[in-house]
Amino acid sequence: MRKPQREYQFKTISLGFLYKVVGTGKTSCARVIANQAGVPLVYLPLESIMSKYYGESERLLGKVFVHANEFPEGAIVFLDEVDSFAVSRSREMHEATRRILSVILRQIDGFEQDKKVVVIAATNRKQDLDPALMSRFDSMITFGLPDNHDRQKIAAQFAKHLTESELVEFATATEGMSGRDIRDICQQAERHWASKVIRGQAPKDGDQVILPPIQVYIESAKTRANTLLSIADQKTEKSNRNQTQPQLAFS
């Protein structure tokens, strides 16, 4: 439910959207929250603040919070892929990254703002985040993969012509996939079908071109599944190779 905007003023809330699978809707959720709260969403990816000049990245990050705090009703600052610049300090960390993390911690604490900014952070690698950062979040939400029913609903948004029974078949073929995967599958299937239409290879119903049949989507889902499996195998192989690599000793 939408709350009055005044309830979002003078209160700093830090929400951490933490999940293990990409493509499960963190950015969309941040947009919905900002829309329901009636405040601007300040999207902050890593590349927007990184600079080769000493101290420039921290200055840019600080300016983001300053400007966000100047909105009359406050704002939501969305730190996308926060693990890129807020990894645990127990690991080897570049000095610039350490300074950026310090700025984030101060801003979340509210030492340099008058508490009109809500901070939302998103990560796919919760285990890599700095414990000091984690402790500052009021709420942590895990985004899991969609179940069979949710996959049907997502598919229905992109392939509106499919029947209910076809959506069930589609959902079964996309088990273990994210919402982004389903979107990409539908788009790839429709591009493939459009190519056939252009070449005159798609069947017609009189003068009307038939929309992509369910089998086109199923084939696209199989291709996507094979791609995801190949990527997973490559990651496993790389991880195993790193673990078995001998350590060089120097005397």
Side-chain angles (χ1 to χ4, degrees):
M1 295 179 63
R2 181 168 180 166
K3 297 183 179 180
Q5 292 180 354
R6 62 177 178 272
E7 294 189 22
Y8 291 90
Q9 296 183 1
F10 314 116
K11 183 178 181 182
T12 300
I13 306 174
S14 303
L15 298 177
F17 291 97
L18 307 175
Y19 56 91
K20 297 181 180 179
V21 182
V22 297
T24 48
K26 69 180 188 302
T27 305
S28 298
C29 188
R31 292 195 185 103
V32 170
I33 292 174
N35 181 64
Q36 291 297 307
V39 296
L41 176 68
V42 181
Y43 178 71
L44 187 62
L46 174 64
E47 59 270 16
S48 66
I49 62 170
M50 293 305 294
S51 173
K52 63 181 180 180
Y53 298 107
Y54 183 86
E56 182 69 6
S57 298
E58 306 92 272
R59 188 185 69 83
L60 291 174
L61 179 59
K63 286 184 65 176
V64 168
F65 281 90
V66 169
H67 289 310
N69 206 46
E70 291 174 349
F71 287 104
E73 303 295 342
I76 292 177
V77 175
F78 180 45
L79 304 175
D80 195 11
E81 297 184 2
V82 69
D83 51 276
S84 299
F85 45 87
V87 294
S88 175
R89 284 171 289 186
S90 63
R91 302 184 177 190
E92 183 178 350
M93 179 187 292
H94 192 277
E95 178 61 26
T97 305
R98 187 182 299 275
R99 294 196 303 269
I100 290 175
L101 176 57
S102 296
V103 173
I104 293 175
L105 295 178
R106 290 199 304 270
Q107 294 292 351
I108 291 179
D109 279 338
F111 294 145
E112 298 179 2
Q113 54 162 309
D114 61 4
K115 300 184 178 180
K116 292 199 300 182
V117 175
V118 174
V119 180
I120 298 178
T123 180
N124 299 326
R125 302 177 62 85
K126 175 183 175 182
Q127 70 278 7
D128 292 342
L129 292 180
D130 188 82
L133 176 68
M134 297 281 290
S135 66
R136 283 165 168 79
F137 286 108
D138 301 321
S139 301
M140 298 183 186
I141 303 173
T142 300
F143 279 61
L145 290 169
D147 59 20
N148 189 284
H149 178 68
D150 289 337
R151 292 197 300 275
Q152 292 180 46
K153 294 176 66 176
I154 295 171
Q157 296 297 314
F158 297 103
K160 300 181 185 298
H161 63 286
L162 295 182
T163 65
E164 185 173 344
S165 61
E166 289 173 337
L167 289 173
V168 171
E169 184 179 355
F170 183 96
T172 301
T174 54
E175 183 176 0
M177 296 188 187
S178 68
R180 182 185 300 170
D181 290 327
I182 294 172
R183 179 202 65 187
D184 292 347
I185 287 169
C186 292
Q187 291 177 348
Q188 181 60 37
E190 288 158 9
R191 282 194 294 266
H192 176 71
W193 189 253
S195 177
K196 295 185 69 173
V197 170
I198 292 172
R199 296 196 303 267
Q201 299 175 351
K204 292 185 178 182
D205 183 7
D207 294 332
Q208 298 294 323
V209 176
I210 297 176
L211 293 173
I214 180 60
Q215 193 56 38
V216 176
Y217 292 94
I218 298 300
E219 290 300 324
S220 181
K222 290 179 180 178
T223 301
R224 183 74 172 188
N226 290 334
T227 300
L228 294 174
L229 182 60
S230 176
I231 293 173
D233 289 342
Q234 290 175 12
K235 288 183 178 179
T236 301
E237 182 180 350
K238 182 178 179 180
S239 177
N240 292 337
R241 187 166 58 248
N242 291 338
Q243 292 177 4
T244 58
Q245 186 174 4
Q247 300 294 321
L248 298 179
F250 297 92
S251 57

